[in-house]
Amino acid sequence: QKEVEQNSGPLSVPEGAIASLNCTYSDRGSQSFFWYRQYSGKSPELIMSIYSNGDKEDGRFTAQLNKASQYVSLLIRDSQPSDSATYLCAVIKAAGNKLTFGGGTRVLVKP
Amino acid sequence: GAVVSQHPSRVICKSGTSVKIECRSLDFQATTMFWYRQFPKQSLMLMATSNEGSKATYEQGVEKDKFLINHASLTLSTLTVTSAHPEDSSFYICSAGTGADEKLFFGSGTQLSVL
């Protein structure tokens, strides 16, 4: 079992719709969770961080964390073509900033 | 967010040569920097953790004699790929955190192509 798992996609959504991305992790002791966006040929950029159960909203993005079920999700509202990218879920298991990445979900937003 | 500068952005070299990649934290001091490698259509794989003033910690399966890491100051870490071969062709990315929280910021990456 991979430490951080994501559906590779592609997840195809029409412009203006909600894109829903899921991520599961294996280490129940994980404390910190992140979503990164990566465009082709570029390095990842941080979108959201979440540390406690529940929802966290930032603009069009909402991260949801459920530690009991060991999953974290990302919702993108009002999806735009510029949101087309690969979204990486990343987890820190303990203090030390050592990130473990999932395989990424490719999102395609069609005009 | 904090700025991490990485260069060169692209390197093409002959097999057997060595390539040095630099990673700088521009507006903060980073006691720890991380080096990742990403093959096409795959996720980022941590290669090593670079600690200022001490030896780097390498992940399992990463050859420490091939991938030399130097973290001589709080703002600079370098990765040297020694005797590069075509299978070392990849996208190399560094990252660093400010230490204020656990967020990491990434350099722009270096695309290495070994002929």
Side-chain angles (χ1 to χ4, degrees):
Chain A
Q1 181 187 9
K2 293 183 180 178
E3 292 185 79
V4 182
E5 293 208 58
Q6 296 180 253
N7 188 317
S8 61
L11 175 65
S12 184
V13 296
E15 184 175 357
I18 296 175
S20 178
L21 293 79
N22 294 315
C23 170
T24 58
Y25 58 95
S26 61
D27 188 336
R28 189 170 286 277
S30 299
Q31 296 294 324
S32 306
F33 308 86
F34 305 86
W35 283 99
Y36 285 84
R37 176 174 63 195
Q38 185 178 27
Y39 293 109
S40 180
K42 303 295 184 181
S43 63
E45 56 180 320
L46 181 66
I47 297 176
M48 294 280 289
S49 60
I50 187 166
Y51 304 97
S52 56
N53 284 328
D55 295 1
K56 180 181 178 182
E57 185 174 318
D58 184 359
R60 295 187 296 112
F61 300 99
T62 299
Q64 298 172 318
L65 175 61
N66 185 323
K67 289 186 178 181
S69 300
Q70 294 176 237
Y71 85 77
V72 56
S73 63
L74 179 70
L75 299 177
I76 308 174
R77 290 183 299 281
D78 188 24
S79 296
Q80 301 297 310
S82 58
D83 294 326
S84 297
T86 296
Y87 290 80
L88 301 167
C89 173
V91 174
I92 295 180
K93 294 189 287 186
N97 289 7
K98 185 176 174 179
L99 274 175
T100 300
F101 284 88
T105 298
R106 187 175 165 219
V107 172
L108 295 174
V109 180
K110 297 185 176 182
Chain B
V3 179
V4 176
S5 173
Q6 182 177 345
H7 71 90
S9 59
R10 182 176 292 273
V11 177
I12 301 174
C13 68
K14 293 182 179 180
S15 184
T17 60
S18 294
V19 175
K20 180 185 283 189
I21 303 170
E22 290 190 352
C23 181
R24 293 180 184 273
S25 55
L26 295 187
D27 51 0
F28 65 99
Q29 293 183 329
T31 56
T32 303
M33 290 185 177
F34 301 89
W35 288 96
Y36 292 85
R37 178 168 54 182
Q38 186 177 35
F39 292 105
K41 297 188 178 181
Q42 295 187 24
S43 191
L44 282 75
M45 297 300 296
L46 180 65
M47 298 176 66
T49 302
S50 170
N51 303 297
E52 188 269 335
S54 65
K55 292 183 179 180
T57 304
Y58 290 81
E59 295 300 301
Q60 190 173 9
V62 178
E63 300 175 59
K64 61 181 66 176
D65 293 332
K66 182 172 184 62
F67 298 99
L68 301 179
I69 291 174
N70 185 287
H71 195 155
S73 76
L74 287 172
T75 59
L76 174 64
S77 176
T78 62
L79 168 67
T80 300
V81 183
T82 62
S83 187
H85 287 91
E87 58 266 30
D88 298 322
S89 298
S90 186
F91 192 49
Y92 292 86
I93 314 173
C94 69
S95 71
T98 62
D101 53 30
E102 293 180 310
K103 296 176 183 176
L104 291 181
F105 299 92
F106 285 83
S108 55
T110 298
Q111 183 63 54
L112 173 62
S113 299
V114 185
L115 305 178

